[in-house]
PDB file of all heavy atoms in Angstrom:
ATOM      1  N   LYS A 239      -0.095   6.790 -12.171  1.00 93.00           N
ATOM      2  CA  LYS A 239       0.159   7.013 -13.597  1.00 93.00           C
ATOM      3  C   LYS A 239      -1.057   7.517 -14.353  1.00 93.00           C
ATOM      4  O   LYS A 239      -0.924   8.320 -15.266  1.00 93.00           O
ATOM      5  CB  LYS A 239       0.691   5.743 -14.274  1.00 93.00           C
ATOM      6  CG  LYS A 239       2.100   5.374 -13.860  1.00 93.00           C
ATOM      7  CD  LYS A 239       3.051   6.471 -14.236  1.00 93.00           C
ATOM      8  CE  LYS A 239       4.461   6.171 -13.805  1.00 93.00           C
ATOM      9  NZ  LYS A 239       5.348   7.288 -14.082  1.00 93.00           N
ATOM     10  N   ASP A 240      -2.252   7.042 -13.990  1.00 88.00           N
ATOM     11  CA  ASP A 240      -3.451   7.511 -14.702  1.00 88.00           C
ATOM     12  C   ASP A 240      -4.077   8.743 -14.032  1.00 88.00           C
ATOM     13  O   ASP A 240      -5.145   9.184 -14.415  1.00 88.00           O
ATOM     14  CB  ASP A 240      -4.467   6.389 -14.880  1.00 88.00           C
ATOM     15  CG  ASP A 240      -5.032   5.867 -13.568  1.00 88.00           C
ATOM     16  OD1 ASP A 240      -4.648   6.371 -12.487  1.00 88.00           O
ATOM     17  OD2 ASP A 240      -5.865   4.950 -13.622  1.00 88.00           O
ATOM     18  N   ARG A 241      -3.392   9.294 -13.037  1.00 89.00           N
ATOM     19  CA  ARG A 241      -3.761  10.532 -12.344  1.00 89.00           C
ATOM     20  C   ARG A 241      -5.048  10.427 -11.525  1.00 89.00           C
ATOM     21  O   ARG A 241      -5.628  11.436 -11.130  1.00 89.00           O
ATOM     22  CB  ARG A 241      -3.848  11.728 -13.303  1.00 89.00           C
ATOM     23  CG  ARG A 241      -2.578  12.022 -14.075  1.00 89.00           C
ATOM     24  CD  ARG A 241      -1.375  12.343 -13.238  1.00 89.00           C
ATOM     25  NE  ARG A 241      -1.607  13.511 -12.380  1.00 89.00           N
ATOM     26  CZ  ARG A 241      -0.986  13.721 -11.229  1.00 89.00           C
ATOM     27  NH1 ARG A 241      -0.101  12.877 -10.792  1.00 89.00           N
ATOM     28  NH2 ARG A 241      -1.233  14.782 -10.517  1.00 89.00           N
ATOM     29  N   THR A 242      -5.521   9.209 -11.289  1.00 89.00           N
ATOM     30  CA  THR A 242      -6.662   8.995 -10.402  1.00 89.00           C
ATOM     31  C   THR A 242      -6.405   7.745  -9.570  1.00 89.00           C
ATOM     32  O   THR A 242      -5.773   6.801 -10.044  1.00 89.00           O
ATOM     33  CB  THR A 242      -7.991   8.802 -11.162  1.00 89.00           C
ATOM     34  OG1 THR A 242      -7.870   7.666 -12.006  1.00 89.00           O
ATOM     35  CG2 THR A 242      -8.352  10.014 -11.996  1.00 89.00           C
ATOM     36  N   ILE A 243      -6.893   7.758  -8.358  1.00 93.00           N
ATOM     37  CA  ILE A 243      -6.812   6.578  -7.498  1.00 93.00           C
ATOM     38  C   ILE A 243      -8.232   6.267  -7.059  1.00 93.00           C
ATOM     39  O   ILE A 243      -8.846   7.053  -6.331  1.00 93.00           O
ATOM     40  CB  ILE A 243      -5.892   6.825  -6.282  1.00 93.00           C
ATOM     41  CG1 ILE A 243      -4.470   7.139  -6.749  1.00 93.00           C
ATOM     42  CG2 ILE A 243      -5.902   5.607  -5.355  1.00 93.00           C
ATOM     43  CD1 ILE A 243      -3.533   7.565  -5.645  1.00 93.00           C
ATOM     44  N   ASN A 244      -8.745   5.145  -7.545  1.00 91.00           N
ATOM     45  CA  ASN A 244     -10.116   4.788  -7.175  1.00 91.00           C
ATOM     46  C   ASN A 244     -10.111   4.048  -5.836  1.00 91.00           C
ATOM     47  O   ASN A 244      -9.059   3.694  -5.301  1.00 91.00           O
ATOM     48  CB  ASN A 244     -10.814   4.004  -8.293  1.00 91.00           C
ATOM     49  CG  ASN A 244     -10.199   2.645  -8.553  1.00 91.00           C
ATOM     50  OD1 ASN A 244      -9.779   1.933  -7.643  1.00 91.00           O
ATOM     51  ND2 ASN A 244     -10.159   2.261  -9.817  1.00 91.00           N
ATOM     52  N   ASP A 245     -11.300   3.825  -5.302  1.00 93.00           N
ATOM     53  CA  ASP A 245     -11.423   3.192  -3.985  1.00 93.00           C
ATOM     54  C   ASP A 245     -10.812   1.800  -3.965  1.00 93.00           C
ATOM     55  O   ASP A 245     -10.168   1.412  -2.986  1.00 93.00           O
ATOM     56  CB  ASP A 245     -12.894   3.123  -3.560  1.00 93.00           C
ATOM     57  CG  ASP A 245     -13.481   4.486  -3.254  1.00 93.00           C
ATOM     58  OD1 ASP A 245     -12.702   5.437  -3.019  1.00 93.00           O
ATOM     59  OD2 ASP A 245     -14.720   4.597  -3.231  1.00 93.00           O
ATOM     60  N   ARG A 246     -10.996   1.047  -5.038  1.00 92.00           N
ATOM     61  CA  ARG A 246     -10.447  -0.321  -5.105  1.00 92.00           C
ATOM     62  C   ARG A 246      -8.924  -0.283  -5.041  1.00 92.00           C
ATOM     63  O   ARG A 246      -8.306  -1.059  -4.315  1.00 92.00           O
ATOM     64  CB  ARG A 246     -10.917  -1.010  -6.391  1.00 92.00           C
ATOM     65  CG  ARG A 246     -10.310  -2.364  -6.635  1.00 92.00           C
ATOM     66  CD  ARG A 246     -11.153  -3.476  -6.071  1.00 92.00           C
ATOM     67  NE  ARG A 246     -10.623  -4.764  -6.506  1.00 92.00           N
ATOM     68  CZ  ARG A 246     -10.128  -5.661  -5.680  1.00 92.00           C
ATOM     69  NH1 ARG A 246     -10.114  -5.440  -4.393  1.00 92.00           N
ATOM     70  NH2 ARG A 246      -9.652  -6.802  -6.132  1.00 92.00           N
ATOM     71  N   GLU A 247      -8.297   0.626  -5.799  1.00 93.00           N
ATOM     72  CA  GLU A 247      -6.835   0.754  -5.774  1.00 93.00           C
ATOM     73  C   GLU A 247      -6.347   1.146  -4.379  1.00 93.00           C
ATOM     74  O   GLU A 247      -5.358   0.595  -3.891  1.00 93.00           O
ATOM     75  CB  GLU A 247      -6.371   1.788  -6.801  1.00 93.00           C
ATOM     76  CG  GLU A 247      -6.534   1.350  -8.239  1.00 93.00           C
ATOM     77  CD  GLU A 247      -6.306   2.462  -9.232  1.00 93.00           C
ATOM     78  OE1 GLU A 247      -6.681   3.623  -8.949  1.00 93.00           O
ATOM     79  OE2 GLU A 247      -5.745   2.169 -10.302  1.00 93.00           O
ATOM     80  N   ALA A 248      -7.042   2.075  -3.745  1.00 95.00           N
ATOM     81  CA  ALA A 248      -6.650   2.514  -2.396  1.00 95.00           C
ATOM     82  C   ALA A 248      -6.742   1.355  -1.405  1.00 95.00           C
ATOM     83  O   ALA A 248      -5.828   1.153  -0.591  1.00 95.00           O
ATOM     84  CB  ALA A 248      -7.516   3.687  -1.946  1.00 95.00           C
ATOM     85  N   GLU A 249      -7.817   0.588  -1.466  1.00 96.00           N
ATOM     86  CA  GLU A 249      -7.974  -0.548  -0.555  1.00 96.00           C
ATOM     87  C   GLU A 249      -6.905  -1.609  -0.806  1.00 96.00           C
ATOM     88  O   GLU A 249      -6.361  -2.190   0.136  1.00 96.00           O
ATOM     89  CB  GLU A 249      -9.376  -1.154  -0.678  1.00 96.00           C
ATOM     90  CG  GLU A 249     -10.452  -0.297  -0.067  1.00 96.00           C
ATOM     91  CD  GLU A 249     -10.185   0.072   1.383  1.00 96.00           C
ATOM     92  OE1 GLU A 249      -9.825  -0.822   2.185  1.00 96.00           O
ATOM     93  OE2 GLU A 249     -10.312   1.265   1.727  1.00 96.00           O
ATOM     94  N   LEU A 250      -6.614  -1.874  -2.070  1.00 95.00           N
ATOM     95  CA  LEU A 250      -5.556  -2.839  -2.389  1.00 95.00           C
ATOM     96  C   LEU A 250      -4.210  -2.370  -1.862  1.00 95.00           C
ATOM     97  O   LEU A 250      -3.450  -3.153  -1.298  1.00 95.00           O
ATOM     98  CB  LEU A 250      -5.494  -3.084  -3.898  1.00 95.00           C
ATOM     99  CG  LEU A 250      -6.646  -3.895  -4.487  1.00 95.00           C
ATOM    100  CD1 LEU A 250      -6.621  -3.847  -6.014  1.00 95.00           C
ATOM    101  CD2 LEU A 250      -6.595  -5.336  -3.997  1.00 95.00           C
TER     102      LEU A 250
END
Side-chain angles (χ1 to χ4, degrees):
K239 290 299 178 185
D240 64 0
R241 302 300 301 153
T242 60
I243 299 173
N244 66 38
D245 291 341
R246 174 92 172 116
E247 290 170 324
E249 287 306 313
L250 288 169

